[in-house]
Amino acid sequence: INAEYMGRTRQVSKLIDGAGCPSTVETQECNTEICNIDCVLSDWSQWTTCSQNCGGTQSRTRTIQTPQNGNGKPCDSLQQTRFCSTKDCTCLNEIEFLIDGSCSITSADFQKVLGFVSGFSDSVLPALGAIGYHRDTYTISEITSDLGSFSSSVKGATKCSQGTCCQTRTYLGLDLVESKLSTRPEGNGKTIVVLTDGKTTGNGGPEATINSAKRISSSHPNWAVVAIGVGKDVNLEEIRSIASAPSNVYLLNSFDDLDSLTKLAHTCPGSNCRVSEWSTWSSCSVSCGGGSKTRTRSVTSLTTDISLCPSSVETQACNTDECVLPCDSDVVLAIDASCSINSGEWQTIQWWVNKISATVKGDLSSVIYDKNVKVVKGKFETVQALTNHVKCYPKEGQTVVPKPQNDKCLPEPLNSCCGTSAHTALESAASILSASTKTSKTLVWISDGSSSYPDLTARAANLIKTQNPGWNIRAINIGDGSRYELETLVDASFITEATGNPSVSVLKLSPVCKPITGPKGCDEAATACECLGLKSQGCGWSSDKGVCELGGVTDCFECSSTGCSCGAVQTACSCASFADSGCGWDRGVCRTGGKPVSCLECPSQNGCNACDCDVVVVLNNGCSLSSKWNDISLTVGSVINSANGKVGLVTYDSETVSSTTLGSKSSATAALVPNTKCNYVTGSSVTHLAIAKGAEILKTSTSACQTLILVSDGKSSLPSKTVLASSAIKRQNPKWNIWSVNAGDVVDSKGFSSLVRSSKQIALLGASDVVYKCSLETDNECAASTPCDCLKLKSKGCGWSHTGVCKKGSVTECFECSNDGCACGNEQNKIDCATQSGCKWDKYIGVCRIG
């Protein structure tokens, strides 16, 4: 009901002669607002009778009892359909087994295979057949519908035991199977089941088998081929190429595990349940606040249990933005138009800016920047400026150089506009927004996070964030850029990926309309210096959140005060000189508790004198690290460019190893390319070969020092071989400077331990630092290859260095070699460590150590 009526009456109190009376009843509309009424449905009816005895369907329905009105909950589906009688279906596939009978399979294992195959005669199948193969092929059982006869033939089969038939020619078996199945009557499906313990040998090798498999797949697309590989010597590429689908590959440790596949005898092995194309996505269930949409597909042919079919329904989240309206905020956009933004990303930026401008109720201005900075005011003017902007791109034949790690300019030759003056653009944007008289102010930085002056950018971003706690500051990450630089301005949770859907989420209600406040007592402070005044109450300034909160620490760069040891420092090298005071370099500022200044940030600090080391990088370029390629390529590229000596690069995935010789940086850089053909295998089976190749290349070095760096997630499908190779390299080359770089979201640190001790396992973003930590030649008086051997030379002033050598002036610490005089090494946690004089907890390697 959308409207009701109310009325009122009156009575005639006196009747005047000759005069008519006015109306005694009056009516008017009331409650005219639209009523929000949820849809109400009846219960489901009973399921209909199954439409057929095998693979039929049945349905049920329900009706609308109360229609939806206004913004009430809409009605769900009124009909459902499901499959029925699937358990009664007979498999309609004829199956031909191809059994490896070469010498590598023992007689006992061959009998296990025959037992597994003969078990299929207990199922309801149209016909079965079996072929054996080694150097030649032989028929075990012709294809027959007499399953009893098939079982007898299989159980009585023998294998070759002579040396003349020890080759494994799988391709001959596939050719024979194809010829036999091709002559079978139409109507029934065809399935091939291949069982083998290794790879093809003899003429043609694995490639001949792969070609035969491709021909069968091309000529008989409706045939199903199942590949069962047993043991550690199976060729993964070959076994995958044989199978008609990835789901038809079965890898077993031993022939005893064939029992785990007995389920195949009661289904149609390899039978692909055929389904239709996906329908279009349904409408989202809600307009905001997080809903879902679905799409469906149906089974078009079914020869077995429907549980073997893929999912028929797919659900996806939609309209996940909060149900809020944008505030009446003034907005300034800082828009990256530099060379690192390609043409496709530039179109994405324009699309985002169009959507944002449509949601802004206040004024909108923009700062468009590359090496130069341009200020534009107005919504229409901003959109027009982007449309007409002459985008800067590198000169023909040139590529954009990765961003430098200091304040130096980008190398020439590049176009004059190819710099990225993000720090100037952010300062300009902040200046415009500061002049706004509105209570609500929003700054949005749209960039790929690759500026020419990262230190200056970080400093400008930190200042804006700390001086304007009431601003709503957001960032949009474009392309494959690094979020690290964007996080100098905004918290990670306030960064939106450009692949998302532009919406009011960029300008959502909180905290646009009011500043974020901290806990009671601390929230009275609006600035870092005011927060410092509440230090006695346990309050401190959180630069990430821009608020004063309990448990925080107001750092010197946020508000200078008496006792500050870090805040007045303006450069990384100056900050390094205050390391003993607990100062560290954090995104462009020197702050208490910041990370130690790296050699790339200040090459002139103690221990950072780069020597002429020859460097070999062994890089896992497999699928498991493909999502990290941007960071990996930047880091490895930095290592290559920072090395003073010769450089070699070894790359590997799950099955292949590629390498360059020890030579120029340009050769190694040219080989640093992403893997375009991923083999999706958990762990690599050739890690040991890649490490050995890297050592082989580095042994050709004639330099005074050598550095070997392994970049990986530590995972290997053959860990024992990796351990043997790594241990041998470490033992045979005690003077080498060996590091591992932990890449990937999930890292198996144990995978590195056989090659590198824990103190030399470093994070991805710090990897380029290792080229400054070259292994110096061992002093003759300190000739020792292990920390414990070095400890024996303590009286000569020798100690174990972090560079992995024994030299004068260093100290062999307890965690490196336990001894009776250890003051720190026996403490296992931070609390116990604090009780020992002269000991400090090193959070970077998790040990208690001197100093």
Side-chain angles (χ1 to χ4, degrees), residues 735-782:
K735 292 185 180 181
W736 283 9
N737 183 33
I738 304 177
W739 295 80
S740 66
V741 179
N742 302 341
D745 296 321
V746 180
V747 176
D748 182 5
S749 59
K750 293 181 181 179
F752 295 116
S753 60
S754 58
L755 181 67
V756 185
R757 61 195 179 103
S758 60
S759 61
K760 301 184 80 171
Q761 298 178 16
I762 58 178
L764 179 62
L765 294 180
S768 47
D769 199 19
V770 304
V771 294
Y772 290 99
K773 300 178 180 178
C774 296
S775 291
L776 304 178
E777 287 190 283
T778 306
D779 191 300
N780 290 333
E781 293 185 48
C782 300

Side-chain angles (χ1 to χ4, degrees), residues 280-300:
T280 57
W281 287 103
S282 67
S283 301
C284 193
S285 59
V286 296
S287 59
C288 60
S292 62
K293 57 183 179 180
T294 59
R295 61 178 183 174
T296 60
R297 58 184 174 185
S298 59
V299 175
T300 57

Side-chain angles (χ1 to χ4, degrees), residues 24-45:
T24 58
V25 178
E26 187 176 50
T27 303
Q28 68 178 22
E29 290 186 352
C30 57
N31 294 340
T32 57
E33 296 85 0
I34 295 175
C35 297
N36 296 327
I37 300 175
D38 292 343
C39 174
V40 179
L41 300 176
S42 67
D43 292 335
W44 286 106
S45 66

Side-chain angles (χ1 to χ4, degrees), residues 451-606:
S451 68
S452 300
Y453 310 94
D455 283 357
L456 296 179
T457 301
R459 194 171 297 129
N462 269 296
L463 236 101
I464 293 171
K465 182 168 57 176
T466 54
Q467 293 178 356
N468 305 283
W471 287 9
N472 177 42
I473 304 178
R474 306 284 161 140
I476 300 174
N477 186 28
I478 297 294
D480 296 325
S482 171
R483 293 169 62 99
Y484 178 83
E485 189 165 85
L486 300 179
E487 289 177 15
T488 62
L489 180 68
V490 299
D491 185 78
S493 61
F494 289 162
I495 298 177
T496 302
E497 295 299 325
T499 53
N501 184 20
S503 65
V504 297
S505 64
V506 179
L507 308 171
K508 60 185 178 182
L509 184 64
S510 177
V512 180
C513 293
K514 60 180 181 180
I516 304 175
T517 57
K520 187 176 182 181
C522 299
D523 59 357
E524 298 174 4
T527 66
C529 288
E530 291 177 7
C531 189
L532 184 64
L534 301 175
K535 182 178 179 180
S536 60
Q537 300 179 28
C539 301
W541 190 256
S542 169
S543 59
D544 287 337
K545 301 176 183 177
V547 297
C548 187
E549 62 182 7
L550 286 172
V553 177
T554 306
D555 225 321
C556 304
F557 78 93
E558 296 165 327
C559 180
S560 181
S561 63
T562 303
C564 274
S565 58
C566 312
V569 177
Q570 299 299 313
T571 67
C573 289
S574 300
C575 190
S577 64
F578 285 91
D580 292 340
S581 301
C583 301
W585 194 248
D586 188 358
R587 304 178 188 181
V589 295
C590 190
R591 63 182 301 172
T592 305
K595 67 177 182 178
V597 179
S598 73
C599 294
L600 284 174
E601 292 166 328
C602 180
S604 62
Q605 64 177 305
N606 290 337

